[in-house]
Amino acid sequence: MNSILVTGATGQLGSAVIETLLKKIWADQISVITRNEEKRAAFEARGFNAFLGDYDNLATLEQAMKGVDTVLLISSGDQGDRIQEHKNVIDMAVKMGVKHLAYTSRCMRDRNTLANQLMVEHFRTEDYIRESGLPFTIFRNTLYMDAIPQFVGGQAALDRGILLPAGEGKVAFALRSEIGEAMAQVLLNETCENKIYSFTGDQAYSFDDIASALTALSGKEVKYTPVERAVFAAMMRQRNVEEALTQKILDFITDIKNNQEAEVTNELAFYLGRKPTRLNEGLKLVLAL
Ligand code: NAP
């Protein structure tokens, strides 16, 4: 690889990608975009080609893609029209003659039965990439282990237990930093062959497993109680959580309950060159235990 544009480089996944890329290539081979001038200047000071850029601003994308071989499109957040934002990046990559586009999708068992429309958007982006004719790499990443505190209510889970409408559904959680590291290893070492990588942990865990791990780590008995959706929604209302946010959480949890996130592969371990961090160790990190 001669040169790469990493979008989302200021984010947590993007940072992990960049740190691993720097072990093999120079900062001046890496371009980044950010919407924030201070962050842009900090990247520039480290020797990167750093641009003010926004998925919604075509001129900025055009400027950042000049002379770039590979674009790593880290999926956008859920605030704007992210399908359109992704299309803007893909269309610009075609226009600018980029040789290879990589994208961060999600590892879900069956795209046709997803509850969560945010996940559907990833697969629609994948379709758009295929239709673009660009040589591609798709990273289908599992749910970040780092997201567990959001689902269980942080350290409060140690006293309150875990109440979720997730049934016995399992998730092959992996640390975001390890996913980023493995993505960079692929980008550095593989030729572009229109390949799809599914990066997951090497075990899938239920919320019961998470409760047991928290019990072992804290010495307090932490219990998981599967509840009905309506009970969970009422709990959220009591805590003054907005309906829209509750619905978003329910969509995520419905897919978990249906084991959409339970697939385990050995690809993350392969590209890390070691076993991915397991639940107990990961919980210590993400919950600061
Ligand atoms: P993060 O820390 O919130 O970083 C998001 C990055 O996206 C930032 O670098 C931000 O750049 C950039 N960005 C957002 N909107 C943009 C826009 N309109 N134009 C240009 N850049 C934009 O997120 P993360 O944890 O690294 O995760 C990366 C992505 O993975 C998320 O955006 C989301 O799509 C997805 N995700 C996956 C999981 C999972 O469990 N697998 C969980 C959560 C999210 P600036 O703010 O510097 O402009």
Side-chain angles (χ1 to χ4, degrees), residues 7-15 33-36 39 53-56 61 74-79 82 85-86 103-106 119 122 141-145 147 176 179 252 261:
T7 76
T10 58
Q12 300 178 80
L13 182 67
S15 308
I33 56 167
T34 168
R35 293 163 296 174
N36 178 297
K39 292 180 185 172
D54 190 321
Y55 298 147
D56 287 313
L61 297 176
I74 290 194
S75 53
S76 187
D78 56 6
Q79 298 81 13
R82 78 165 167 176
E85 292 178 348
H86 294 166
Y103 173 69
T104 57
S105 184
R106 287 294 308 279
M119 298 302 110
H122 283 295
N141 298 335
T142 192
L143 187 57
Y144 303 150
M145 203 178 279
R176 175 168 37 204
I179 293 174
F252 268 100
E261 311 238 24

